[in-house]
Amino acid sequence: MNYEKKCYFKVITYFLLLICLISILPSKTFAEKSITVYINEKKISMKTSPVISNGTTFVPLRDISENLGCTVSWDSSTATAKIKDKKSKKTIIIEKNSYTVNGKKNPLSPATINKNGVTLVPLRLVSEALDCTVDWDPYDSSVSILKYRVVEVSNATELLNNIKNNTKIILTASEYNLTKVKNISNPAIKTEHAFDGEEHIISNVNNIIIDAKDGVVPTLLVTPRYANVLPFENCKNIKIKNIIAGHTIDTGYCTGGVISLANSSNIYIENCKLYGCGTYGIIGENVSDLFAVNSEIYECTYGCVTFNSSRNINLSSCIFRDCKEFSMFEFTNCSDSKVVSSLIKNNETSTYFSFINAENGNNIIFESCEFLNNTYPKLFNGNVKFYNCTIQ
């Protein structure tokens, strides 16, 4: 074979190899892996499949909206889609680079895309415009969308009677005394005697949000010293935001805590104030994936928080103050839990107890925390690690 033929042969070979490589490499624009979508934990069928473009998940606007109970119309003259949510009475207008909710315009980045004549929108738009929570699971390539029934409540009876699956409860009043509620007609509420009164236990409920209306600072109260304020058992996906909760009586001894959780998972507590005479601000037994952020726990009579047989407990940017008696932080038989960027001050642990108890615990971490003016015979026992903490 002469030189020219050898060169020609090499060029053809390299060209064919390049074509083969291009054919097997994943597309930079659309990922072809099948994506499953669930709405309120039910798998839905769609005419157009979701896609992933440059790291963003896009879903078909019409398929998702109609499965959420909305109507969709298309205006070809302006290239805009209009969504009407029958339940919330919202009107949403979708343009390529923005969306408008009841007249309020918001930027949309990344923009919508078109696939075979079908409009697909970023997944986060479903959350922001349609009052849903969304979750992307990269392990099985699935999208979970939760659509909440939204209800405003102005008294404790309405609050307890509206605790049901897939419900967002908006608190509009300044005070809710749960002890005063009698004869509840809600199967999700179990009432038990708590020595000096009654305790209303929220059980077997999934996907609940309890939040305050803008401009309102609601306080949730109970009278009995032996009752927890907000007890949950066998619950999943619970969010509690922007509330104050505690007991009606002054600081003193009792056996009821503030937020109590048993056999529950995916709990989110944000911007809450939990106070004594509750024994602990948060109590957890067999709890997983709890996140408490920007919250304050104070003046509790046994300690700040106590967890047993739990995992992935995360307390971040919180204040723990003026609590006393036993260990302030209990992580007994717990794993993979941490307290981060929090202020821990003016707490007092009595003799024979360590300030942090991690008996039989694994990977319990305090990171970037400030310990000020606390009293204790021993700082910790068990497997506890400190990173960038100030301890005075």
Side-chain angles (χ1 to χ4, degrees):
M1 183 179 295
N2 59 32
Y3 179 77
E4 289 79 6
K5 287 184 178 180
K6 286 182 179 179
C7 289
Y8 178 76
F9 179 76
K10 287 182 178 180
V11 169
I12 293 298
T13 301
Y14 291 151
F15 180 72
L16 291 174
L17 286 171
L18 181 61
I19 291 175
C20 291
L21 285 171
I22 292 173
S23 67
I24 64 174
L25 286 173
S27 169
K28 292 182 70 175
T29 304
F30 297 128
E32 297 299 329
K33 189 173 181 180
S34 176
I35 298 173
T36 306
V37 177
Y38 298 87
I39 293 181
N40 288 351
E41 302 179 344
K42 181 181 179 181
K43 183 179 177 180
I44 66 168
S45 59
M46 295 172 291
K47 298 176 183 177
T48 304
S49 298
V51 299
I52 299 175
S53 175
N54 297 322
T56 298
T57 303
F58 288 80
V59 293
L61 177 62
R62 182 178 293 274
D63 285 341
I64 296 297
S65 299
E66 290 180 348
N67 274 283
L68 287 169
C70 303
T71 59
V72 183
S73 59
W74 174 258
D75 187 338
S76 57
S77 63
T78 60
T80 59
K82 180 183 287 187
I83 304 172
K84 288 191 175 181
D85 189 337
K86 300 174 185 177
K87 292 183 178 179
S88 68
K89 309 300 182 184
K90 280 186 175 181
T91 298
I92 302 117
I93 297 174
I94 310 294
E95 300 175 90
K96 185 172 181 60
N97 296 292
S98 66
Y99 68 96
T100 303
V101 181
N102 288 349
K104 183 180 179 181
K105 195 168 185 176
N106 305 275
L108 185 59
S109 179
T112 64
I113 59 177
N114 185 287
K115 182 183 179 183
N116 301 325
V118 176
T119 300
L120 290 91
V121 299
L123 181 59
R124 73 172 180 85
L125 176 65
V126 178
S127 172
E128 295 176 357
L130 294 173
D131 292 323
C132 298
T133 61
V134 298
D135 183 46
W136 163 253
D137 190 337
Y139 298 103
D140 62 0
S141 297
S142 67
V143 173
S144 177
I145 301 173
L146 293 174
K147 176 67 173 178
Y148 290 87
R149 175 180 69 99
V150 181
V151 56
E152 293 189 351
V153 300
S154 60
N155 57 64
T157 301
E158 291 178 351
L159 167 58
L160 292 176
N161 281 329
N162 277 286
I163 293 179
K164 300 175 182 178
N165 289 340
N166 309 319
T167 301
K168 181 177 182 179
I169 298 174
I170 306 297
L171 306 175
T172 62
S174 60
E175 184 175 300
Y176 296 79
N177 191 325
L178 305 179
T179 304
K180 294 182 178 180
V181 180
K182 307 296 180 184
N183 303 318
I184 301 170
S185 58
N186 184 354
I189 305 297
K190 181 173 63 175
T191 301
E192 293 185 352
H193 186 64
F195 186 72
D196 59 344
E198 292 183 333
E199 180 180 66
H200 302 304
I201 302 170
I202 302 166
S203 60
N204 301 302
V205 176
N206 297 337
N207 311 321
I208 285 286
I209 299 175
I210 299 175
D211 198 357
K213 187 175 182 178
D214 288 347
V216 176
V217 183
T219 299
L220 276 60
L221 302 168
V222 295
T223 300
R225 294 170 298 159
Y226 286 75
N228 295 291
V229 182
L230 282 174
F232 295 85
E233 64 177 24
N234 303 317
C235 294
K236 183 173 70 174
N237 296 334
I238 307 297
K239 292 185 179 180
I240 305 170
K241 304 170 65 177
N242 304 311
I243 68 163
I244 302 171
H247 292 70
T248 58
I249 59 176
D250 294 333
T251 300
Y253 289 94
C254 64
T255 62
V258 185
I259 295 178
S260 178
L261 305 153
N263 306 314
S264 298
S265 61
N266 297 329
I267 312 298
Y268 187 78
I269 301 167
E270 180 184 3
N271 195 33
C272 291
K273 293 185 176 182
L274 313 176
Y275 67 89
C277 78
T279 52
Y280 298 95
I282 304 174
I283 300 171
E285 178 79 27
N286 192 26
V287 171
S288 63
D289 303 317
L290 179 145
F291 299 85
V293 298
N294 296 321
S295 294
E296 185 174 359
I297 292 174
Y298 57 99
E299 297 179 359
C300 292
T301 58
Y302 283 10
C304 300
V305 297
T306 179
F307 296 97
N308 184 40
S309 301
S310 299
R311 63 177 180 84
N312 198 26
I313 306 301
N314 298 271
L315 313 174
S316 178
S317 301
C318 293
I319 298 173
F320 304 94
R321 65 172 179 86
D322 300 303
C323 299
K324 61 181 180 179
E325 197 62 31
F326 305 124
S327 294
M328 294 298 104
F329 296 87
E330 289 264 5
F331 292 101
T332 308
N333 301 310
C334 293
S335 63
D336 302 321
S337 299
K338 57 185 178 181
V339 182
V340 179
S341 301
S342 295
L343 175 62
I344 303 164
K345 68 174 185 177
N346 301 335
N347 302 288
E348 182 179 352
T349 296
S350 59
T351 308
Y352 309 121
F353 294 92
S354 58
F355 194 77
I356 302 165
N357 179 23
E359 184 179 357
N360 297 321
N362 180 43
N363 196 30
I364 309 301
I365 294 173
F366 283 73
E367 182 177 350
S368 301
C369 291
E370 189 174 10
F371 293 76
L372 295 178
N373 196 34
N374 298 291
T375 302
Y376 47 82
K378 184 180 179 181
L379 178 57
F380 70 95
N381 75 311
N383 185 9
V384 182
K385 297 178 181 178
F386 299 87
Y387 299 99
N388 301 318
C389 291
T390 300
I391 303 175
Q392 296 183 1

